[in-house]
């Protein structure tokens, strides 16, 4: 399954990408994350939350969507 | 005549303007976000504005903190902001608080206002503001920025989600850089803060769709906005409410995580600057060999602090991961940071080292 992955803030910096399309045969969002981790080593210590089809979800959730977004917390003001 | 352009809008009218005049809004921080928030809320005629900021105006602030000029340099931000805002609108009441927001003053302060607006610049304050807003049951208009991007949401509004439903715990200190470390496009907090002011007015006027249960992600470079749905996590909110009675006594230290930080043994092994600490009692087996281990039984932890290398990260282990977790908590309370608990027990560690003997030279 082709998954469109969007990156924000420090995550986009670590991957040097704003988005990419990856191929995933797993059934969970965690499977997508594993592929992303393997591809982008700099992500390993980064904190983020995951959205599937524009909704924040637990990574244990079943992969049902075509779009995943990785969003880090911002503290600046 | 001052509010004519509001009053002639049928969606606001005199009735709406009266609601704005009766509203009490507390703005946390009078910096990059706080300045535009305060400017528009004062101009709109919000009857009572509270400003809390302990910081003073610095030359590097003037690039984006638009309430201040050269004459404000060195002055407290809450006071300097009030001076400018009172000139903008002398018909409103402005209360200034020149101290730091802490667990001990937040709840009493929040009770005096209807809406809380977060314009702070660090996670410690953001989590404190979120938790105090939950405890006081006040809507919280959230905004945060990073270089060219912004996040905006309204939390705790009509039983909606909170910041902890999005990010349950603060990131480890120092892992997320701040504007003062990496810079920020000056106009960005202007845009994000103005959006926050807009949400405040929508709440007061009960107008349009309040940005509750959603996070708006704004990118100033691509102008691509994303709105992502946030679900309320009841357990996270209940765990905040449970602390209601002793909230005031909580220390404001950054590490307010609910669970101590863990590190997998194999990840700890890959770090260069790390001290392994065995917190089991001296007689317990198996001993972990082939790596450098410092022995500090949990029972002697507080009297053995000299054995801890403060320049290194500390990875603690025991038989099952329970005592090491407890030890990390104790060390945190003693302000010894960078401590991690290894969830694997000594038995598993020995097995792992045996299996990977040829692969590491530590």
């Amino acid at each position: 399954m082709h998954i469109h992955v969007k990156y924000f803030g420090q995550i986009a910096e670590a991957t040097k990408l704003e988005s990419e399309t990856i191929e995933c045969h797993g059934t969970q969002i965690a499977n997508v994350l594993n592929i992303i981790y393997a591809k982008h080593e700099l992500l390993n210590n980064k904190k983020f939350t995951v959205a599937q089809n524009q909704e924040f979800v637990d990574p244990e959730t079943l992969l049902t969507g075509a779009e995943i977004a990785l969003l880090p917390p911002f503290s600046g003001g | 005549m001052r509010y004519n352009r509001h009053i002639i809008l049928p969606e606001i009218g005199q009735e709406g303007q009266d609601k704005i005049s009766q509203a009490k809004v507390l703005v946390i921080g009078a910096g990059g976000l706080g300045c535009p928030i305060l400017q528009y809320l004062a101009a709109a005629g919000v009857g009572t504005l509270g400003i809390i900021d302990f910081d003073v105006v610095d030359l590097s602030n003037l690039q984006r903190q638009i309430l201040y000029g050269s004459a404000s340099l060195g002055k407290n931000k809450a006071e300097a902001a009030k001076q400018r805002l009172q000139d903008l609108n002398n018909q409103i009441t402005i209360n200034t608080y020149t101290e730091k927001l802490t667990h001990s003053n937040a709840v009493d302060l929040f009770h005096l206002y209807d809406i809380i607006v977060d314009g702070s610049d660090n996670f410690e304050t953001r989590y404190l503001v979120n938790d105090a807003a939950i405890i006081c049951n006040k809507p919280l208009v959230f905004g945060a920025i990073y270089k060219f991007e912004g996040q905006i949401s309204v939390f705790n509004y009509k039983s909606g989600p909170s910041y902890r439903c999005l990010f349950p715990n603060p990131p480890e200190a120092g892992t997320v850089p701040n504007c003062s470390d990496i810079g920020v496009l000056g106009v960005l907090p202007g845009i994000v803060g103005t959006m926050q002011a807009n949400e405040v007015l929508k709440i007061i006027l009960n107008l349009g769709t309040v940005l509750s249960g959603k996070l708006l992600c704004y990118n100033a470079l691509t102008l691509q906005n994303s709105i992502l749905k946030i679900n309320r996590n009841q357990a996270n909110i209940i765990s905040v409410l449970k602390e209601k009675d002793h909230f005031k006594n909580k220390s404001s230290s950054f590490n307010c995580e609910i669970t101590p930080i863990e590190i997998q043994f194999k990840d700890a092994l890959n770090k260069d600057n790390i001290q392994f600490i065995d917190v089991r009692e001296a007689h317990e087996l198996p001993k972990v060999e082939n790596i450098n281990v410092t022995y500090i039984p949990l029972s002697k932890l507080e009297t053995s602090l000299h054995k801890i290398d403060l320049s290194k990260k500390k990875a603690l282990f025991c038989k099952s991961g329970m005592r090491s977790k407890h030890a990390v908590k104790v060390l945190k309370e003693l302000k010894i940071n960078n401590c991690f608990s290894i969830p694997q027990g000594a038995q598993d560690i020995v097995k792992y080292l045996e299996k990977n003997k040829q692969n590491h030279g530590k």
Side-chain angles (χ1 to χ4, degrees), chain A residues 13 47 54-56 72 76, chain B residues 145-147 151 169 229 231:
Chain A
E13 280 177 357
K47 184 167 180 128
Q54 294 88 46
E55 178 170 357
F56 290 105
Chain B
I145 51 174
Y146 177 79
K147 288 168 87 170
Q151 297 175 346
N169 293 308
K229 192 175 168 224
N231 294 305

Side-chain angles (χ1 to χ4, degrees), chain A residues 22-71:
Chain A
I22 61 163
E23 182 69 26
C24 179
H25 298 291
T27 56
Q28 287 193 338
I29 289 174
N31 300 127
V32 178
L33 296 183
N34 284 340
I35 294 171
I36 297 170
Y37 274 128
K39 238 181 131 175
H40 305 286
E41 217 173 90
L42 287 172
L43 277 189
N44 276 321
N45 296 316
K46 297 267 186 283
K47 184 167 180 128
F48 58 81
T49 179
V50 182
Q52 167 163 253
N53 286 356
Q54 294 88 46
E55 178 170 357
F56 290 105
V57 289
D58 192 291
E60 308 286 301
T61 311
L62 281 180
L63 181 62
T64 56
E67 186 185 284
I68 299 288
L70 269 55
L71 193 112

Side-chain angles (χ1 to χ4, degrees), chain B residues 23 26 50 56 71 91 114 201 206 208 237-238 257 260 271 347-348:
Chain B
L26 176 67
V56 293
Q91 298 185 338
D114 310 319
L201 292 173
N206 200 14
I237 289 174
I238 287 173
E257 270 123 317
K271 295 207 185 299
Q347 189 93 48
D348 292 331

Side-chain angles (χ1 to χ4, degrees), chain A residues 6-10 12-13 18 45-49 51 54-57 67 69 71-77, chain B residues 32-33 120-123 126 144-147 149 151 163 166-167 169-171 176 215 217 222 226 228-231:
Chain A
K6 285 169 86 171
Y7 302 115
F8 291 87
Q10 305 95 293
E13 280 177 357
E18 294 203 339
N45 296 316
K46 297 267 186 283
K47 184 167 180 128
F48 58 81
T49 179
Q54 294 88 46
E55 178 170 357
F56 290 105
V57 289
E67 186 185 284
L71 193 112
F74 295 169
S75 68
Chain B
L33 292 171
S120 67
D121 63 357
N122 62 83
F123 286 115
R126 290 188 179 282
I145 51 174
Y146 177 79
K147 288 168 87 170
E149 290 175 64
Q151 297 175 346
Y163 190 52
L166 185 59
F167 296 105
N169 293 308
V176 179
L215 184 79
C217 305
T222 62
S226 305
L228 305 170
K229 192 175 168 224
I230 312 166
N231 294 305

Side-chain angles (χ1 to χ4, degrees), chain B residues 181-215:
Chain B
D181 305 325
I182 45 149
V184 62
L185 181 72
V187 73
L188 179 70
I191 296 167
V192 172
T194 304
M195 288 187 186
Q196 288 178 270
N198 184 45
E199 290 306 308
V200 172
L201 292 173
K202 281 160 64 185
I203 295 172
I204 294 170
L205 295 165
N206 200 14
L207 208 58
T209 310
V210 172
L211 193 63
S212 166
K214 290 172 223 162
L215 184 79

Side-chain angles (χ1 to χ4, degrees), chain B residues 104-293:
Chain B
S104 60
N105 63 17
V107 171
D108 290 341
L109 187 59
F110 283 23
H111 275 308
L112 302 174
Y113 294 87
D114 310 319
I115 300 169
I116 313 299
V117 192
D118 186 0
S120 67
D121 63 357
N122 62 83
F123 286 115
E124 181 185 340
T125 308
R126 290 188 179 282
Y127 279 84
L128 164 61
V129 169
N130 178 73
D131 295 354
I134 291 175
I135 286 171
C136 301
N137 196 23
K138 304 282 178 178
L140 167 63
V141 179
F142 169 90
I145 51 174
Y146 177 79
K147 288 168 87 170
F148 302 97
E149 290 175 64
Q151 297 175 346
I152 305 114
S153 187
V154 176
F155 293 124
N156 206 44
Y157 177 74
K158 295 187 177 170
S159 304
S162 80
Y163 190 52
R164 282 195 192 267
C165 303
L166 185 59
F167 296 105
N169 293 308
E172 221 183 302
T175 57
V176 179
N178 210 331
C179 300
S180 54
D181 305 325
I182 45 149
V184 62
L185 181 72
V187 73
L188 179 70
I191 296 167
V192 172
T194 304
M195 288 187 186
Q196 288 178 270
N198 184 45
E199 290 306 308
V200 172
L201 292 173
K202 281 160 64 185
I203 295 172
I204 294 170
L205 295 165
N206 200 14
L207 208 58
T209 310
V210 172
L211 193 63
S212 166
K214 290 172 223 162
L215 184 79
L216 170 63
C217 305
Y218 172 81
N219 185 321
L221 296 183
T222 62
L223 292 181
Q224 293 213 329
N225 286 351
S226 305
I227 294 183
L228 305 170
K229 192 175 168 224
I230 312 166
N231 294 305
R232 182 178 162 100
N233 183 325
Q234 193 66 17
N236 287 348
I237 289 174
I238 287 173
S239 69
V240 172
L241 286 171
K242 267 187 189 160
E243 300 197 325
K244 192 173 181 172
D245 293 335
H246 54 269
F247 190 75
K248 279 189 180 182
N249 303 323
K250 268 188 85 174
S251 91
S252 270
S253 80
F254 184 77
N255 287 316
C256 43
E257 270 123 317
I258 291 160
T259 51
I261 305 156
E262 290 195 342
I263 188 167
Q264 301 296 316
F265 178 69
K266 61 178 170 53
D267 296 333
L269 200 56
N270 283 327
K271 295 207 185 299
D272 287 331
N273 201 24
I274 197 149
Q275 180 185 25
F276 287 96
I277 302 174
D278 185 345
V279 297
R280 294 176 302 163
E281 299 302 313
H283 58 85
E284 289 182 70
L285 295 173
K287 291 285 171 217
V288 173
E289 290 165 337
N290 300 326
I291 56 169
N292 277 326
V293 176

Side-chain angles (χ1 to χ4, degrees), chain B residues 255 257 260-261 328-337:
Chain B
N255 287 316
E257 270 123 317
I261 305 156
V328 168
K329 274 188 194 164
V330 172
L331 291 173
K332 247 183 209 173
E333 280 161 19
L334 293 166
K335 304 270 183 263
I336 297 176
N337 296 320

Side-chain angles (χ1 to χ4, degrees), chain B residues 21-40:
Chain B
S21 300
Q22 282 149 21
K24 296 177 187 149
V25 179
L26 176 67
V27 179
I28 316 293
L33 292 171
C35 283
I37 295 166
L38 288 162
Q39 189 171 30
Y40 275 106

